[in-house]
Amino acid sequence: MNTNVKIQTHSFLNLISAAGFISACAYFYLAYHSQYYADARLFDLWLSCSISAFVCISAWAYFSITNRTISVFTLLLWAIIFRVIGVFAFPVLEDDFYRYLWDGFQFVEFGSPYTHPPAYFFTDETLNETFENILSGINYPGINTVYTPVCQWVFAVAYLIEPVAIWPIQLIFSLFDIALILLLLRLAPTKYVLLYAWNPLVIKEIAFTAHPDILGVFFLFAAIILARKYILFSAVLLALAVASKVFAIVIAPLILGFRWRSWLIFAAALLLICAPFLNDFIQMTIGLTSMAELWLFNAPLYFLFLNFFSPIWVKFTLLFAFACIWFFYAYKYVMQNTYAVPRGDYLFGLFLICIPVLNPWYLIWLLPFAVIYPSFWAWTASIAVFLAYIIGLNIEASNLAAYEQPVWAISLEFIFISLAILIDMYRNKMNTLKPIEKQVA
């Protein structure tokens, strides 16, 4: 009997090791094909992430069907390996990192990244060739940076580690990502945390591409966990989350509730974090305002309604609809005086569909909540959103503008997500969708 148990355990470990190894090979393939700017192609991204997505889903299905449990060590080991591979790669199909490097340089050397847009330095003859190359790679150089104070501190630290190198930023963000996984392990079983820890979208957008959203998501979840016993410290973490990205304001008021002392601590912490940049407040808002007014990407409701109504009417209506739904849920949540994890999957899902720009990495805000509240639609979205990379910039000999999507791609993306929502609605009706949150000590 003991021999049979040993054989079964050995086979199980071999199976998990094989799954992790296959995903690691897929990410290594992507990293190998992305050592310099524009090395990797859309095919490379899709091939690597399709393989790793299949492995992730298959592993989760295996654990669900067999009722077996993946060990925390095994889950973390492969999650770390995937991210280490990403740190050694060049950002895939992205150029936002040029702005990170430039902001870090401006912050450390001149005290603020907000004073002037990058285009201001086009005639600066004191820049060496390295910084000229970074400057030439920045998209929308006439617009001030949109990255918030916490992000700027990270960019500055990365610059001090190694100037004009992207790997320190990738490493720092990956460490925050691993820390978030550890937080999720306090709230959910490992098989559900695996859906986030091994998710190709998460690994691509954080380790490979170094999008800073992970900062805000980590501080937000840390605040949620600590709110039960340490509400004032939680308020500080919420301030850090909002100062990382304003998206966190969707959840922050739910945690603060009607506790006026918490609101005071939150406001004071937020003011302190932003204090070094208060003189540049107007410049800080220029970039965000330009983005809100001019950018439109991967937003199906906007593309649909703009055929019939003016852009201002569409923006106002969608955001007003979201505000009404948010207020109804927030009031109910606060009045219940509960410390349960809020339905951030619903709130962020609605928020993202109501804003004019839905970049793939924005889904990182809702995926951790989908670990607590399992659903088909959230994880389907994390795969379908790779269709958003079908743009003119990534398709050779295309007639599309640089960031223009073909209609069929955006339609297919949201058809997949809509079908997943219908499946979840059916499962909810059958009472098979239940939260799996652990009790936090």
Side-chain angles (χ1 to χ4, degrees):
M1 182 175 180
N2 290 335
T3 302
N4 290 334
V5 171
K6 289 181 179 179
I7 293 174
Q8 291 177 1
T9 302
H10 183 68
S11 299
F12 172 72
L13 292 176
N14 285 340
L15 181 64
I16 300 306
S17 298
F21 180 74
I22 291 171
S23 283
C25 288
Y27 292 125
F28 181 81
Y29 168 87
L30 184 59
Y32 178 79
H33 286 83
S34 186
Q35 291 301 304
Y36 300 96
Y37 179 71
D39 267 6
R41 303 298 181 189
L42 191 59
F43 171 80
D44 300 320
L45 174 67
W46 278 3
L47 178 61
S48 175
C49 291
S50 295
I51 293 172
S52 53
F54 176 79
V55 169
C56 179
I57 294 170
S58 299
W60 174 84
Y62 173 80
F63 293 126
S64 297
I65 293 172
T66 62
N67 287 322
R68 302 197 69 159
T69 301
I70 182 173
S71 70
V72 171
F73 174 80
T74 302
L75 183 147
L76 286 175
L77 175 64
W78 287 110
I80 291 171
I81 290 173
F82 302 155
R83 286 156 177 81
V84 168
I85 294 172
V87 169
F88 284 96
F90 204 81
V92 178
L93 300 182
E94 289 288 348
D95 56 11
D96 288 349
F97 66 93
Y98 286 116
R99 179 80 72 161
Y100 310 160
L101 299 177
W102 181 259
D103 284 1
F105 163 63
Q106 289 290 302
F107 190 5
V108 172
E109 300 296 339
F110 302 103
S112 175
Y114 298 106
T115 306
H116 301 290
Y120 177 85
F121 297 89
F122 281 169
T123 57
D124 190 342
E125 297 180 356
T126 64
L127 294 176
N128 61 36
E129 183 178 355
T130 301
F131 288 107
E132 287 180 350
N133 291 335
I134 292 174
L135 186 60
S136 65
I138 297 174
N139 56 32
Y140 303 101
I143 298 177
N144 293 64
T145 183
V146 299
Y147 296 103
T148 49
V150 172
C151 295
Q152 298 300 342
W153 285 109
V154 172
F155 299 157
V157 170
Y159 178 85
L160 293 173
I161 294 174
E162 184 177 345
V164 302
I166 187 60
W167 72 263
I169 301 177
Q170 292 170 296
L171 177 61
I172 293 170
F173 290 167
S174 294
L175 291 174
F176 272 94
D177 196 21
I178 294 297
L180 175 59
I181 293 171
L182 294 174
L183 294 182
L184 291 173
L185 287 168
R186 291 175 55 88
L187 300 173
T190 52
K191 71 175 180 180
Y192 291 104
V193 178
L194 178 142
L195 289 170
Y196 177 89
W198 291 18
N199 187 281
L201 178 69
V202 174
I203 295 163
K204 186 273 176 188
E205 300 299 353
I206 297 173
F208 277 85
T209 314
H211 283 294
D213 296 65
I214 185 60
L215 298 175
V217 178
F218 168 78
F219 288 126
L220 181 61
F221 256 83
I224 291 172
I225 290 176
L226 291 177
R228 178 171 299 178
K229 292 184 178 180
Y230 308 100
I231 185 61
L232 297 184
F233 187 43
S234 175
V236 175
L237 291 171
L238 288 172
L240 284 167
V242 173
S244 299
K245 191 159 189 171
V246 293
F247 283 12
I249 203 67
V250 171
I251 299 296
L254 279 65
I255 308 304
L256 296 171
F258 297 121
R259 306 174 184 90
W260 65 268
R261 286 201 303 169
S262 299
W263 278 100
L264 287 177
I265 296 294
F266 169 78
L270 189 60
L271 183 62
L272 183 63
I273 295 166
C274 298
F277 310 105
L278 288 181
N279 290 335
D280 297 317
F281 180 77
I282 295 177
Q283 284 78 12
M284 290 171 61
T285 59
I286 289 175
L288 290 174
T289 302
S290 299
M291 180 178 178
E293 291 179 351
L294 304 176
W295 295 1
L296 181 64
F297 178 73
N298 201 36
L301 295 184
Y302 280 82
F303 290 131
L304 176 63
F305 293 139
L306 284 176
N307 292 318
F308 309 100
F309 307 102
S310 67
I312 294 178
W313 187 93
V314 174
K315 289 180 181 179
F316 174 80
T317 303
L318 289 177
L319 292 176
F320 178 76
F322 169 75
C324 291
I325 296 172
W326 178 90
F327 182 82
F328 175 79
Y329 176 83
Y331 181 79
K332 181 179 178 182
Y333 179 89
V334 172
M335 291 304 295
Q336 289 176 342
N337 196 28
T338 178
Y339 290 99
V341 175
R343 293 305 303 256
D345 54 338
Y346 287 168
L347 293 178
F348 279 119
L350 287 170
F351 174 70
L352 294 179
I353 204 69
C354 289
I355 59 177
V357 176
L358 203 176
N359 289 314
W361 54 91
Y362 289 179
L363 267 67
I364 293 171
W365 285 90
L366 67 86
L367 292 181
F369 293 96
V371 172
I372 314 303
Y373 301 101
S375 65
F376 276 116
W377 75 265
W379 302 109
T380 298
S382 74
I383 299 172
V385 77
F386 279 105
L387 289 167
Y389 280 102
I390 303 178
I391 56 176
L393 193 65
N394 299 331
I395 304 175
E396 296 181 3
S398 172
N399 294 323
L400 298 171
Y403 296 100
E404 183 182 358
Q405 298 171 277
V407 174
W408 67 265
I410 191 172
S411 299
L412 192 60
E413 176 187 350
F414 286 94
I415 285 174
F416 285 143
I417 298 172
S418 298
L419 290 174
I421 291 174
L422 291 176
I423 293 174
D424 281 332
M425 292 173 64
Y426 174 78
R427 294 179 65 210
N428 188 57
K429 184 178 180 180
M430 297 292 103
N431 198 31
T432 59
L433 273 180
K434 297 179 181 179
I436 43 80
E437 179 186 359
K438 295 179 182 177
Q439 291 296 321
V440 181

